[in-house]
Amino acid sequence: MAGLIALAGRLERHSGLLGLVKLGNVALAMLWGFVVTFVFVRILPLEEFRGFLLLVAFANFTVSAELGLSAIAYARLRRLRVSGEGAFDPAELVALLWILAGLVAFGAMLIGGAIATGWLKTDYPALFITFYLVAAFNLLTLLARRALAAVDHNLWWEALDSIRRVSGLALLLAALGPLPILASVLIQLVVALGVLCAGLATFHATLAMQRRDWIVLGPGLAAVRAHYLSDFGRTGVLTLCDVGAYNAPYFTIVAVTPDPRPLLLFDLVFKLSRSLSAVIRALAETVLPGLTRAAYQGDGAGVRRAVLRCLGWSLGATMAGGAALLIAGKLVAHIIFDGNLDLQYSEIAMMIALLFGLSLICVSVYLQWGLGRFGALLRPSMLLLLGSVLAVPLAMPMHESLGWTLSAGFLALYAAVHGSLGLVHGRMLMHLTGARGTKVQARGSV
């Protein structure tokens, strides 16, 4: 095991290889999301599937409920690792791990309560709760990924996580055959736990921790209170804005219409948005080692190169995704939703416009999160949330007075929101690349 970790560490120095591996893992993650829909829409009745989509949305809320704690941990540990500034106690990670595990458990209790009281109606309670645990487990793997990235074990974590992704795909598809769907989801949960333990064992060895460090919470909680609260307000607001912006339409659509088409259309938009953001996150994580090194050492030219490289790659990925959507979007939507969504070319055009705005937003957000510049993102994130929440209510008058379908009106407004905020984030990236020989400060401007 030690030899494999050392080999991964040497290979990680080749940024091209690291980027390819990260993109490969992102492709597996995206495929898992689409396969989930492909499998569950065929196993569950349509009304059950509608409830399942709400469960997925709640799981997404849970994953984001860490409110940026892992990003703060990454920024603190990475700054120490690169420049020797600041301090990081491994007990901080232990405390965060137990806090996040408690959030997942609390979410599972809420799901169980919603099913028991009839608020979430389903004939598959065990399946719903178990799938929620599998989806929400990403909350813990996110912490592990960022912790290992901060100590230059990016490639090793990607190799471990690919085991989880590949096995998850195989187990989901097996549920269409001889394997019961509940057994499929349970095995996925066991594999995810094993991968997390392997990742944390690497962190344990790298920072020379003791076994008892994982069960003693006092020092870690004290460190979190002392060093995280100043940024936690910012990251918490940013995370809530992000969660609301990308999940609120699930609930606003359900509130205004029983027609399943707008909900299915938004579910496709959500999947495309999350897929693109995952690709851009992988590209950003590829440049972050060099970007953070340049930023914390006052190398303005290095900062510009890293930002422009990430931006170019991201816009290229968006162009490729838009072309694929234009060519195969109708067929893919028909297959994924089992013929229940007939996508129009006008809707595809609006989705492509939305994705270009989203690409600028994601590059700006991921790079500035990696640098600890949380305060700079607050205002545009709040505007994105406001626009996303109002998109469905404002589409209703368009539907009633202009004759637009609710789906078309909502999608046009949702795309306009992303395009406008994309321009705002583009200006922020220009400001970031304007740094000349000054260190990037965690809470201030460049």
Side-chain angles (χ1 to χ4, degrees):
M1 183 70 74
L4 289 174
I5 295 173
L7 175 61
R10 291 193 297 271
L11 293 176
E12 184 172 328
R13 298 168 190 166
H14 303 281
S15 60
L17 176 62
L18 177 60
L20 287 175
V21 173
K22 281 185 172 290
L23 287 174
N25 215 354
V26 164
L28 292 174
M30 290 189 298
L31 190 57
W32 186 85
F34 283 101
V35 171
V36 163
T37 299
F38 181 85
V39 170
F40 276 85
V41 78
R42 285 162 173 78
I43 290 177
L44 300 177
L46 190 57
E47 279 303 311
E48 287 275 2
F49 182 70
R50 195 167 182 263
F52 178 76
L53 290 180
L54 294 179
L55 176 76
V56 171
F58 183 73
N60 294 330
F61 271 104
T62 305
V63 171
S64 299
E66 55 118 19
L67 301 179
L69 289 171
S70 62
I72 300 172
Y74 171 86
R76 284 176 49 75
L77 181 53
R78 187 63 183 166
R79 182 181 287 271
L80 175 65
R81 186 87 170 176
V82 170
S83 65
E85 298 177 0
F88 182 88
D89 186 345
E92 298 174 28
L93 181 84
V94 175
L96 294 178
L97 179 68
W98 286 104
I99 289 170
L100 299 183
L103 282 174
V104 173
F106 180 66
M109 291 172 59
L110 290 179
I111 292 292
I115 293 174
T117 59
W119 189 87
L120 180 61
K121 299 182 186 302
T122 178
D123 293 329
Y124 305 87
L127 175 60
F128 272 41
I129 293 173
T130 308
F131 181 85
Y132 163 79
L133 290 173
V134 169
F137 209 82
N138 286 310
L139 184 64
L140 305 181
T141 57
L142 174 65
L143 177 64
R145 187 181 83 232
R146 285 178 169 161
L148 290 174
V151 294
D152 295 305
H153 282 310
N154 284 282
L155 194 59
W156 176 242
W157 170 257
E158 297 300 332
L160 288 175
D161 203 36
S162 66
I163 297 172
R164 178 173 71 107
R165 302 293 187 185
V166 171
S167 63
L169 287 170
L171 289 164
L172 280 172
L173 293 174
L176 293 176
L179 185 66
I181 185 60
L182 180 57
S184 167
V185 177
L186 281 169
I187 297 172
Q188 289 182 60
L189 185 59
V190 172
V191 172
L193 181 60
V195 167
L196 177 66
C197 289
L200 293 177
T202 305
F203 188 85
H204 174 102
T206 302
L207 273 67
M209 297 173 64
Q210 303 297 316
R211 290 183 181 178
R212 66 183 300 274
D213 293 338
W214 295 96
I215 57 176
V216 179
L217 296 181
L221 292 173
V224 168
R225 284 195 299 268
H227 302 296
Y228 284 64
L229 294 183
S230 59
D231 278 326
F232 182 65
R234 299 182 183 92
T235 60
V237 171
L238 288 172
T239 303
L240 291 173
C241 288
D242 179 75
V243 172
Y246 294 109
N247 289 276
Y250 276 117
F251 301 99
T252 52
I253 290 171
V254 168
V256 301
T257 179
D259 181 5
R261 190 183 189 279
L263 189 63
L264 296 179
L265 178 65
F266 174 70
D267 188 59
L268 178 62
V269 172
F270 177 86
K271 285 179 168 56
L272 293 171
S273 299
R274 294 293 85 184
S275 297
L276 178 63
S277 65
V279 169
I280 296 176
R281 185 184 65 231
L283 296 173
E285 289 175 352
T286 301
V287 305
L288 269 179
L291 175 64
T292 51
R293 194 170 294 112
Y296 296 144
Q297 294 175 354
D299 178 8
V303 170
R304 284 194 298 277
R305 283 194 301 271
V307 172
L308 293 176
R309 186 181 302 121
C310 185
L311 186 60
W313 289 346
S314 300
L315 290 175
T318 306
M319 290 178 64
L325 183 59
L326 188 62
I327 294 170
K330 288 175 69 69
L331 177 62
V332 169
H334 182 82
I335 293 172
I336 290 176
F337 294 101
D338 199 22
N340 291 303
L341 179 61
D342 182 20
L343 203 58
Q344 304 300 310
Y345 281 110
S346 59
E347 294 170 335
I348 292 176
M350 288 186 280
M351 289 180 190
I352 293 174
L354 184 154
L355 293 179
F356 272 100
L358 179 65
S359 65
L360 293 172
I361 294 172
C362 288
V363 172
S364 173
V365 168
Y366 291 138
L367 294 187
Q368 298 196 71
W369 271 72
L371 292 169
R373 289 172 47 88
F374 308 119
L377 298 171
L378 285 173
R379 183 176 296 176
S381 295
M382 290 178 180
L383 291 174
L384 181 61
L385 171 62
L386 181 64
S388 298
V389 170
L390 293 178
V392 172
L394 291 178
M396 292 299 292
M398 298 171 66
H399 170 57
E400 295 167 357
S401 62
L402 300 180
W404 287 37
T405 65
L406 179 61
S407 298
F410 158 71
L411 193 53
L413 291 170
Y414 201 56
V417 168
H418 281 76
S420 301
L421 270 297
L423 295 177
V424 172
H425 278 279
R427 287 178 59 86
M428 295 173 68
L429 288 171
M430 291 176 61
H431 177 69
L432 190 61
T433 58
R436 296 183 180 276
T438 57
K439 289 187 179 181
V440 172
Q441 301 300 318
R443 300 181 186 86
S445 302
V446 178

